[in-house]
Amino acid sequence: MHTQRMAVSVSVLALLTLAACGTEPGSGSGGDGGDTVQSDVPVTGVAWSVDSLTVDGKKTEAPEGSRLEFDPKGRAKVGFGCNHISADARVEGDRITFGKPVSTQMACDEKTEKAEKAALAAMDGEVTAKLSGEKLTLTTEGGDTFALSEEKPADLAGTRWAVTTLLSGETATSVPADLPKDRVPHLTFGEDGTVHGNSGCNSFRGKAEVKGSTITFGPPAGTRKMCPEAEMETERAVLAALDGPATYTIKGSTLTVTSKDGKGVGATATPATTAGTQEHG
């Protein structure tokens, strides 16, 4: 049986204007004209954990691991563990203007679907951003709100990373949601320059030397079982990303690993209590 996976294209035609609005102060005399610089709320490049959404007066608690990110290209991306939702996002002072959001169309559990519908409703039009310490609140003109918290980056080593996304150039594809629990690909990096985990069918172990923002993967050794095609397809994609030198970034609890040919994976830090389960399944 084939598992459908909906691909999300990461827009390269994103809005380019993220500059501060207002007027630059003049360098000459006569500086009492009220010239000011209104800086943008610093939301870009930060991993925001979604705490809750309130739409039409109804508050929805976000599933654990939900997050929102504004990238430097003017794109907002939000995920609740199932579909990928994205929209153009222009930041001007304390106002953020969303373009019409788009989403993949995978079936999700009831709680996740509820959160996704609330997000699609809130991410449409202009919102006001209010930053208070590590808390960010986005409020629509109609009073709907996103409650967010800044995520601190997880440690690369010692964290169990569950692979959620397969990357190929500018296309991101979700890992099939119906994979058996012991076949969900995951990675754990060691302080000794190693990596081990499961690639979608087989368990593996190999070298992973970290220097700066680069990880150099050595040839992996592991089991050689055959699995259904959906699992083998996932495994091939994961192993293609973990081959030779690759760059990595960590934003909050999200890890992205991308090789030179554009193959890569996106992964999410999982609770330490699951780190030892199904490691060799």
Side-chain angles (χ1 to χ4, degrees), residues 1-5 166 176 178-179 200 227-236:
M1 183 178 76
H2 295 285
T3 302
Q4 281 195 327
R5 297 183 296 172
L166 306 175
D178 58 354
L179 286 181
C227 298
E229 179 56 25
E231 297 165 30
M232 296 302 295
E233 185 178 352
T234 297
E235 177 164 280
R236 287 191 290 270

Side-chain angles (χ1 to χ4, degrees), residues 113-187:
E113 285 186 355
K114 186 177 180 181
E116 289 180 349
K117 288 179 181 179
L120 288 168
M123 289 175 65
D124 193 3
E126 188 176 89
V127 302
T128 300
K130 182 179 180 181
L131 187 62
S132 178
E134 297 179 352
K135 299 289 185 179
L136 174 68
T137 303
L138 306 180
T139 306
T140 69
E141 293 180 346
D144 298 337
T145 61
F146 259 99
L148 309 159
S149 300
E150 182 179 351
E151 287 188 12
K152 299 301 182 184
D155 294 327
L156 176 66
T159 299
R160 186 181 190 272
W161 298 100
V163 178
T164 57
T165 308
L166 306 175
L167 308 174
S168 180
E170 294 176 352
T171 299
T173 306
S174 298
V175 169
D178 58 354
L179 286 181
K181 288 184 178 180
D182 61 336
R183 297 291 182 263
V184 176
H186 58 85
L187 316 169

Side-chain angles (χ1 to χ4, degrees), residues 82-101:
C82 187
N83 284 295
H84 296 272
I85 301 171
S86 63
D88 289 333
R90 186 175 69 249
V91 183
E92 294 179 314
D94 66 348
R95 299 297 179 96
I96 301 172
T97 303
F98 290 108
K100 188 173 182 61

Side-chain angles (χ1 to χ4, degrees), residues 61-118:
E61 297 294 335
E64 185 177 353
S66 302
R67 56 188 48 83
L68 170 67
E69 180 183 343
F70 297 89
D71 69 27
K73 295 181 179 180
R75 195 80 177 165
K77 304 170 189 176
V78 62
F80 299 95
C82 187
N83 284 295
H84 296 272
I85 301 171
S86 63
D88 289 333
R90 186 175 69 249
V91 183
E92 294 179 314
D94 66 348
R95 299 297 179 96
I96 301 172
T97 303
F98 290 108
K100 188 173 182 61
V102 295
S103 174
T104 54
Q105 299 294 322
M106 295 185 295
C108 313
D109 62 84
E110 184 177 352
K111 182 177 181 180
T112 301
E113 285 186 355
K114 186 177 180 181
E116 289 180 349
K117 288 179 181 179

